[in-house]
Amino acid sequence: NTTESIGTVETLADVPEHVLRGLPEDVKLFPSAVDKTRLGVWATKSILKGKKFGPFVGDKKKRSQV
């Protein structure tokens, strides 16, 4: 994490390796357009409606746990 005047900023170093490995080729993590302290998911080209990604790995969490 880096510290700026806005507080702690999420970086790629904070993202578990399995998440980075599981990203489709045309999907990247960059600073969020909504919250500059977090990473957001960005597509580098159009994704067709109905496109499925996976398999997903990791621990399933409830919304209240994240």
Side-chain angles (χ1 to χ4, degrees):
N1 288 342
T2 59
T3 303
E4 298 177 2
S5 60
I6 56 175
T8 302
V9 176
E10 187 176 33
T11 68
L12 289 177
D14 299 315
V15 179
E17 183 61 32
H18 73 272
V19 171
L20 296 175
R21 280 194 315 266
L23 287 175
E25 183 178 312
D26 299 319
V27 175
K28 307 290 182 203
L29 297 178
F30 292 115
S32 170
V34 177
D35 181 347
K36 298 297 183 196
T37 66
R38 304 293 308 269
L39 293 174
V41 179
W42 295 81
T44 58
K45 68 178 191 178
S46 293
I47 299 172
L48 296 175
K49 184 177 180 178
K51 174 77 173 171
K52 294 185 181 189
F53 302 103
F56 298 105
V57 297
D59 299 324
K60 189 171 184 175
K61 303 282 184 184
K62 294 180 182 177
R63 184 176 298 268
S64 63
Q65 295 175 298
V66 294

